[in-house]
Amino acid sequence: MEKKTGILTVVSGFSGSGKGTIMKQLLEKYPDNYALSISATTRSPRPGETDGKEYFFRSTEAFEEMIKNDELLEYACYVNNYYGTPKAYVQEQLENGKDVILEIEIQGALKIKEKYPDTVLLFVTPPSFEELERRLTGRGTESEAVIRDRLCRAAEECDGVEAYDYLIVNYELDSCVEQVHSILQNEHTKIKRKESFLLEIKAALAAYSKGE
Ligand code: 5GP
C-alpha cells in the first residue's frame, strides 16, 4: 500500500488576521491529519504562556547552540528576538503522514520554500485594510502611536507575499478552516506528490505487458 508522507505547510499573515485561531480549529477538527510545530524563541513568555506549549523559551546562548548544531529547519530574527523551527519533530510527523503546520513570519517562510520547494505557503488576511485597522485598534485603549506602529509593522508583515501559494481571506472562521483543509487535501492528489505510487503501478503494468 502507498505510504502517505505529510506536507510541510507554512502559515503566515498579519497580526490580527486570525491565523492562530484558524489553525487551532483545524487541528481540533482534524487531529489525525495535522500537527502543529512548536517553535523555539528567545523572547520572554507572555502571561499565560508556558514552555513547550506556545513556544520553547530559550536563552540566546541556548538558541545559538541549536543553530550551531543544525537543529533548526530555519530561524529568523524578528523584533530583536530569535525565532526558529526545531527540525526533529517536523521530520518525525511528516514521516508519520501528518501535514505539519508552521506558523511563522515571511523571512522564515521564504527560506523554507527555497530549501524545500514542495512546501505549501498560505497567507491569511482580514477582508480589508479598514478591518485590519479595526482589529489592530483593539478596544480603543491603545494610543495613536501604538496603532500607527502596528499598521507599519503590518506593511512589513506582507513584504514578499507574492511568493506564497494561497491567500486566505478571513471573512468567517469556519469557512477558512474548511478552505485550508480542502487546499491541503487537494495538494495530496497532485501528480508530483504521487511519484512512488505511479512508479509502482507503471512497473507492474510493464511487467504484465512483458508477460512476467
Ligand atoms: P510572537 O512573538 O508574536 O509570538 O511572534 C512573532 C512572529 O514570529 C510571528 O509572526 C510568528 O509567526 C513568528 N514566528 C513564530 N515562530 C517562528 C519560527 O519558528 N520561525 C520564524 N521565522 N518565525 C516565527
Side-chain angles (χ1 to χ4, degrees):
M1 208 181 74
E2 185 194 14
K3 185 179 180 299
K4 189 179 170 211
T5 310
I7 296 175
L8 190 56
T9 308
V10 173
V11 178
S12 312
F14 299 115
S15 329
S17 63
K19 60 180 189 291
T21 317
I22 298 172
M23 294 311 127
K24 200 168 157 262
Q25 288 265 53
L26 182 75
L27 266 103
E28 274 170 19
K29 204 161 171 194
Y30 304 104
D32 296 340
N33 296 63
Y34 305 108
L36 193 64
S37 155
I38 301 172
S39 298
T41 183
T42 56
R43 86 150 161 75
S44 310
R46 296 187 184 125
E49 288 184 335
T50 40
D51 185 46
K53 191 159 175 260
E54 286 79 12
Y55 284 104
F56 296 109
F57 295 99
R58 296 290 178 263
S59 65
T60 304
E61 295 70 38
F63 198 100
E64 287 174 347
E65 197 57 29
M66 292 172 87
I67 299 174
K68 206 174 96 197
N69 296 336
D70 195 26
E71 288 171 37
L72 301 172
L73 217 49
E74 61 74 45
Y75 68 94
C77 220
Y78 183 85
V79 198
N80 300 324
N81 279 301
Y82 280 128
Y83 290 84
T85 309
K87 217 185 244 181
Y89 176 79
V90 172
Q91 285 175 343
E92 186 189 306
Q93 295 298 317
L94 289 174
E95 277 162 27
N96 287 340
K98 291 212 177 181
D99 296 338
V100 181
I101 296 170
L102 315 183
E103 209 189 300
I104 69 178
E105 50 65 62
I106 285 193
Q107 296 173 57
L110 299 182
K111 280 188 216 158
I112 295 256
K113 185 81 172 176
E114 204 177 306
K115 244 174 149 175
Y116 308 97
D118 283 349
T119 306
V120 175
L121 302 187
L122 310 173
F123 193 88
V124 184
T125 172
S128 63
F129 170 78
E130 288 72 23
E131 178 62 18
L132 179 63
E133 192 179 24
R134 198 183 64 74
R135 291 188 194 180
L136 291 180
T137 307
R139 297 189 207 110
T141 45
E142 274 85 357
S143 69
E144 251 181 55
V146 169
I147 294 165
R148 210 187 136 64
D149 194 50
R150 287 187 182 170
L151 285 168
C152 291
R153 170 101 53 85
E156 286 164 28
E157 281 170 349
C158 66
D159 194 18
V161 69
E162 295 76 14
Y164 276 58
D165 300 299
Y166 296 95
L167 185 74
I168 310 293
V169 182
N170 189 357
Y171 291 102
E172 201 264 319
L173 178 63
D174 286 347
S175 52
C176 282
V177 171
E178 282 315 303
Q179 204 176 5
V180 173
H181 181 60
S182 63
I183 286 171
L184 292 172
Q185 293 317 295
N186 286 336
E187 276 294 325
H188 277 283
T189 66
K190 284 198 167 161
I191 289 280
K192 69 174 180 189
R193 299 192 193 274
K194 294 284 176 193
E195 267 172 12
S196 60
F197 174 84
L198 285 171
L199 277 176
E200 219 171 275
I201 206 159
K202 278 175 153 184
L205 287 168
Y208 177 84
S209 340
K210 278 192 226 145
E212 284 167 10

